[in-house]
């Protein structure tokens, strides 16, 4: 394969040749639509069936254009492939085949080899700066980078979940060609690249669809971001499915992380997306679809989706490491040892169980392979949704954190690291945006209001200390300082991550395909013993004690091989006791347990 074929969906411009383009817009609520070419002519667009407007024009790559709705409102293309500035500015015609791939035969990697590294492109400095760190990540043992959302958002600083132009990579980070060059470079180093996509809502600034295509939304269903997207409509489904195919086929991303699909009420949209993605993949190419889904719908993981972020696992480990119990951590602090056992032995904690409000969620998960779960100790949400963006290294006992890190990197679940975690970065990751005016005020006050139920932010004066999301200083403070990673206090963490990932690739990954849960049992307060049968029949055994007292533990089988003990201790890891804040992992020859 040399160049990817041009996307042939209905939404967005279609380059016919070097000088001519067909433009389309679904605008069922417009009376008229015209194409406005910057520095050129304004062309009336012909109305077709079902609310579509189209026109062909002399316009090659680089042409800037907008749409004029009802001779009164000029808007960008909602399927813009690039923007000449920000979300309100003209769109740009892009040649989807204009980049020549240096690694055209890349087919991806098997999922069980995945070690994810989540990063924010802006905090890294853009696509070109990420490229400079890829070699170091590959040498560390990372096999995939995951980019937080790239869809064009208002301003230059944003987490990415305020995107409004889903087909246009954020201009502040670089050009579409620079993004492809980053992906190409990663593939040359054996690294997969994932993108976080947001198909559950549009951001609050720059979305004009309500004006000319109000049926894009359904007003009878609300989400935390307003009216739900109406996936019952074919045009709406195609808008998002074509977008997924663009990232995977044209940009050659290796997979998608789909944000908050619990806010997508039409499950058939998700299954159709998975079907169409896998049908479009070239023979032999590996594509991976990963969900964030608070509903814990494990059944989706047998319907074309590869894995799900395991917030349950993070939450119980976090509350055991920090003793935090406010907000959603209350659901995990109560009876935390039982929940630790269920997480290690079955994947999800909530499998139809009730939370503190008496609401049940989740489906049984023990039948799934452990690789169906993406495990993390930190990510953009769990760090950035803290008032001051604290990282776990600043919150937890170091020995307990090393034990939890052994679980992260040596369990059969798929590990995800958050940028800077590998060397114990202490720079916060804060919530940042670059809104203006009334929206900026609303975001600032809304951010502070999120913490009103937390006792330490009960008074308004304390809440005012929470960093302003719109201040440039908030964004600057969130950049990890990689020059520190070889300094004392950081080099030790980096050495630990490197050691554990080396063990993972040597001992765990070759045996992961075909692995399964064998269950877990409590050893004492905050302590558990878990086993997984690996694909070659051997059993991986984890003894974990995040408590403050040593516990008794059955000795491993006589032929067991010690893979790792998380801290120096005088206790023999095979002697029947497990010290406080310690994890041990053994490989046992298969037995009948």
């Amino acid at each position: 394969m040399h160049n990817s074929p041009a996307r042939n969906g209905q939404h967005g411009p279609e380059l016919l040749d070097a000088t001519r383009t067909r433009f389309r817009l679904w605008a069922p609520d417009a009376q008229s639509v015209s194409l406005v070419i910057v520095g050129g002519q304004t062309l009336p667009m012909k109305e077709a069936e079902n609310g579509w407007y189209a026109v062909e024009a002399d316009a090659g790559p680089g042409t800037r254009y907008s749409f004029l709705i009802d001779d009164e409102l000029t808007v960008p293309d909602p399927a813009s492939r690039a923007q000449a500035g920000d979300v309100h500015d003209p769109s740009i015609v892009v040649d989807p085949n204009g980049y020549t791939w240096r690694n055209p035969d890349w087919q991806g990697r098997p999922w069980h080899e995945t070690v994810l590294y989540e990063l924010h492109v802006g905090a890294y400095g853009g696509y070109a700066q990420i490229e400079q760190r890829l070699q170091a990540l590959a040498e560390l043992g990372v096999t995939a980078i995951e980019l937080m959302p790239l869809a064009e958002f208002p301003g230059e600083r944003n987490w990415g979940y305020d995107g409004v132009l889903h087909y246009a990579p954020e201009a502040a980070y670089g050009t579409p060609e620079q993004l492809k060059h980053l992906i190409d470079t990663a593939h040359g180093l054996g690294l997969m690249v994932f993108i976080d996509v947001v198909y559950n809502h549009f951001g609050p600034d720059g979305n004009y669809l309500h004006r000319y295509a109000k049926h894009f939304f359904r007003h009878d269903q609300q989400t935390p971001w307003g009216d739900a997207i109406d996936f019952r409509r074919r045009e709406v489904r195609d808008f998002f499915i074509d977008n997924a195919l663009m990232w995977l086929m044209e940009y050659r991303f290796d997979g998608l992380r789909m944000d908050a699909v619990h806010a997508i009420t039409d499950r058939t949209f998700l299954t159709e997306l998975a079907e169409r993605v896998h049908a479009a993949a070239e023979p032999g190419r590996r594509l991976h679809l990963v969900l964030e889904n608070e509903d814990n719908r494990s059944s989706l993981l047998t319907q074309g989706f590869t894995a799900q972020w395991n917030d349950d696992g993070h939450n119980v480990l976090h509350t055991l490491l920090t003793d935090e119990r406010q907000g959603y951590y209350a659901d995990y602090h109560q009876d935390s040892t039982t929940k630790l056992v269920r997480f290690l032995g079955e994947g999800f904690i909530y499998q139809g169980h009730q939370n503190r409000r008496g609401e049940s969620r989740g489906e049984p998960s023990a039948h799934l392979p452990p690789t169906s779960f993406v495990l993390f100790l930190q990510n953009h949400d769990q760090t950035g949704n803290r008032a001051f963006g604290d990282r776990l290294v600043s919150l937890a006992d170091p020995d307990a954190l090393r034990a939890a890190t052994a679980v992260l990197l040596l369990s059969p679940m798929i590990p995800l690291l958050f940028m800077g975690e590998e060397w114990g970065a202490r720079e916060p990751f804060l919530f940042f945006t670059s809104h203006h005016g009334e929206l900026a005020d609303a975001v600032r006050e809304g951010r502070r209001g999120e913490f009103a139920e937390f006792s330490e932010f009960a008074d308004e004066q304390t809440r005012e200390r929470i960093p302003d999301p719109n201040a440039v200083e908030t964004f600057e403070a969130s950049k990890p300082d990689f020059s520190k990673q070889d300094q004392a206090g950081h080099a030790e963490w980096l050495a630990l991550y490197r050691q554990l990932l080396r063990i993972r690739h040597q001992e765990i990954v070759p045996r992961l395909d075909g692995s399964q849960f064998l269950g877990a049992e409590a050893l004492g307060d905050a302590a558990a013993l878990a086993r997984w049968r690996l694909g070659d029949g051997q059993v991986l055994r984890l003894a974990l004690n995040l408590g403050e007292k040593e516990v008794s533990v059955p000795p491993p089988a006589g032929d067991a091989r010690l893979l790792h003990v998380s801290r120096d201790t005088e206790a023999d890891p095979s002697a029947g006791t497990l010290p406080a804040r310690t994890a041990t992992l053994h490989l046992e020859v298969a037995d009948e347990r």
Side-chain angles (χ1 to χ4, degrees):
M1 174 179 167
H2 298 284
N3 283 323
S4 303
R7 185 184 56 83
N8 195 32
Q10 287 185 291
H11 293 274
E14 180 185 354
L15 194 65
L16 301 175
D17 57 37
T19 62
R20 197 160 179 81
T21 299
R22 178 182 295 121
F23 297 88
R24 303 186 186 94
L25 181 69
W26 186 57
D29 297 302
Q31 300 303 309
S32 68
V33 180
S34 297
L35 171 71
V36 179
I37 295 179
V38 177
Q41 41 185 175
T42 297
L43 301 173
M45 298 178 71
K46 183 178 179 181
E47 186 174 3
E49 293 181 350
N50 301 319
W52 285 97
Y53 290 82
V55 67
E56 292 185 12
D58 292 329
T63 300
R64 301 183 179 196
Y65 70 98
S66 300
F67 295 123
L68 178 62
I69 308 295
D70 296 339
D71 294 323
E72 63 181 25
L73 177 67
T74 301
V75 301
D77 189 340
S80 166
R81 305 300 293 272
Q83 283 296 100
D86 209 347
V87 295
H88 304 286
D89 295 316
S91 303
I92 304 174
V93 176
V94 171
D95 181 0
N97 295 326
Y99 179 83
T100 302
W101 293 89
R102 294 164 294 149
N103 297 285
D105 298 323
W106 171 261
Q107 295 283 75
R109 297 182 65 151
W111 175 248
H112 68 270
E113 296 179 359
T114 304
V115 175
L116 286 159
Y117 187 93
E118 187 191 24
L119 60 88
H120 184 276
V121 175
Y124 251 71
Y127 304 130
Q129 285 67 34
I130 294 172
E131 277 198 44
Q132 297 175 13
R133 299 210 56 81
L134 291 179
Q135 181 71 48
L137 290 173
E139 291 173 356
L140 175 66
V142 168
T143 65
I145 61 171
E146 180 174 306
L147 309 182
M148 287 176 65
L150 300 180
E152 186 78 46
F153 51 73
E156 295 186 347
R157 307 180 305 277
N158 199 288
W159 274 16
Y161 300 92
D162 287 332
V164 292
L165 299 175
H166 286 70
Y167 288 72
E170 170 57 40
Y173 298 159
T175 65
E177 289 72 23
Q178 286 176 313
L179 173 56
K180 291 178 181 178
H181 194 276
L182 165 64
I183 296 167
D184 204 4
T185 301
H187 290 168
L189 293 168
L191 292 168
M192 296 183 286
V193 188
F194 287 69
I195 181 174
D196 191 340
V197 293
V198 184
Y199 293 164
N200 52 67
H201 76 286
F202 289 80
D205 180 18
N207 173 26
Y208 293 96
L209 287 166
H210 288 281
R211 168 61 179 80
Y212 58 82
K214 59 188 176 186
H215 296 295
F216 217 96
F217 305 92
R218 52 185 305 177
H219 313 300
D220 60 330
Q221 287 189 352
Q222 295 295 303
T223 74
W225 308 282
D227 290 345
I229 294 171
D230 193 351
F231 288 102
R232 298 171 299 180
R233 291 188 172 269
R234 173 47 51 194
E235 296 86 357
V236 176
R237 285 189 177 223
D238 286 344
F239 180 89
F240 291 103
I241 293 175
D242 284 348
N243 180 256
L245 293 172
M246 180 198 75
W247 293 125
L248 296 168
M249 303 303 159
E250 180 188 324
Y251 283 85
R252 296 193 63 75
F253 278 95
D254 297 279
L256 309 177
R257 182 265 189 187
M258 299 185 63
D259 177 68
V261 301
H262 49 268
I264 297 174
T265 56
D266 192 332
R267 178 170 173 155
T268 63
F269 162 73
L270 296 173
T271 53
E272 181 186 345
L273 183 147
E275 290 169 4
R276 288 177 61 180
V277 161
H278 293 303
E282 308 95 330
R285 187 168 174 215
R286 303 177 180 93
L287 295 176
H288 310 296
L289 301 177
V290 181
L291 300 173
E292 181 196 27
N293 188 354
E294 288 184 2
D295 291 341
N296 283 0
R297 289 188 177 177
S298 60
S299 51
L300 282 170
L301 302 178
T302 61
Q303 293 181 284
F305 292 93
T306 310
Q308 179 179 312
W309 276 30
N310 195 351
D311 287 283
D312 279 359
H314 165 274
N315 293 347
V316 72
L317 289 171
H318 184 94
T319 192
L320 287 169
L321 288 169
T322 65
D323 201 36
E324 291 181 12
R325 63 191 74 184
Q326 299 195 73
Y328 56 84
Y329 288 126
D331 283 334
Y332 298 86
H333 187 274
Q334 184 179 21
D335 205 11
S336 56
T337 302
T338 298
K339 290 168 180 169
L340 175 69
V341 167
R342 194 181 307 143
F343 146 63
L344 291 172
E346 301 179 20
F348 291 143
I349 293 173
Y350 284 89
Q351 304 177 37
H353 302 79
Q354 290 188 345
N355 63 16
R356 67 190 186 282
R357 298 189 179 98
E359 304 159 340
S360 62
R361 66 180 178 90
E363 299 171 349
S365 61
H367 62 287
L368 295 169
T371 50
S372 296
F373 305 90
V374 175
L375 181 60
F376 41 85
L377 295 178
Q378 300 177 86
N379 62 30
H380 73 273
D381 266 334
Q382 305 297 351
T383 303
N385 281 335
R386 303 180 66 82
F388 299 106
D390 320 89
R391 289 178 176 261
L392 203 50
V393 71
S394 303
L395 302 171
D397 173 86
D399 284 333
L401 183 54
R402 278 187 279 269
T405 301
V407 179
L408 171 70
L409 298 182
L410 296 182
S411 89
M413 302 184 205
I414 298 298
L416 178 140
L417 286 59
F418 185 59
M419 60 178 190
E421 171 187 339
E422 71 278 16
W423 51 271
R426 291 183 179 269
E427 291 82 10
F429 185 71
L430 298 162
F431 178 68
F432 50 81
T433 59
S434 47
H435 296 309
H436 301 284
E438 292 182 3
L439 180 57
D441 294 338
V443 169
R444 182 187 309 110
E445 294 311 309
R447 174 68 173 168
R448 290 170 178 170
E450 289 177 17
F451 297 96
E453 68 173 290
F454 290 77
S455 59
E456 62 264 44
F457 299 106
D459 65 278
E460 186 174 343
Q461 186 174 5
T462 304
R463 291 198 296 274
E464 288 181 356
R465 293 174 43 234
I466 297 172
D468 179 359
N470 297 291
V472 67
E473 295 82 6
T474 302
F475 171 67
E476 294 295 331
S478 300
K479 296 180 177 180
D481 184 353
F482 289 98
S483 68
K484 295 180 179 178
Q485 63 182 7
D486 295 323
Q487 297 178 6
H490 294 298
E492 295 85 352
W493 283 108
L494 186 61
L496 174 64
Y497 274 70
R498 184 172 287 119
Q499 174 198 9
L500 292 175
L501 285 172
R502 184 169 60 247
I503 295 171
R504 182 177 188 85
H505 288 300
Q506 289 176 353
E507 302 284 1
I508 309 297
V509 169
R511 300 179 168 94
L512 260 188
D513 196 23
S515 58
Q516 61 190 82
F517 289 102
L518 289 181
E521 61 189 87
L523 296 174
D525 187 37
L529 179 67
R531 292 185 176 89
W532 301 270
R533 190 179 304 280
L534 302 179
D536 67 349
Q538 295 196 61
V539 171
L540 178 66
R541 168 192 151 123
L542 164 70
L544 173 66
N545 183 5
L546 294 177
E548 298 180 356
K549 299 178 180 178
E550 72 172 30
V551 296
S552 298
V553 58
D559 53 7
R561 181 158 57 91
L562 178 66
L563 295 182
H564 178 71
V565 58
S566 66
R567 71 184 182 99
D568 294 333
T569 173
E570 296 180 1
D572 180 351
S574 303
T577 59
L578 185 64
R581 298 182 290 277
T582 304
T584 64
L585 288 107
H586 290 81
L587 266 182
E588 300 178 330
V589 175
D591 58 22
E592 297 304 317
R593 281 179 291 189

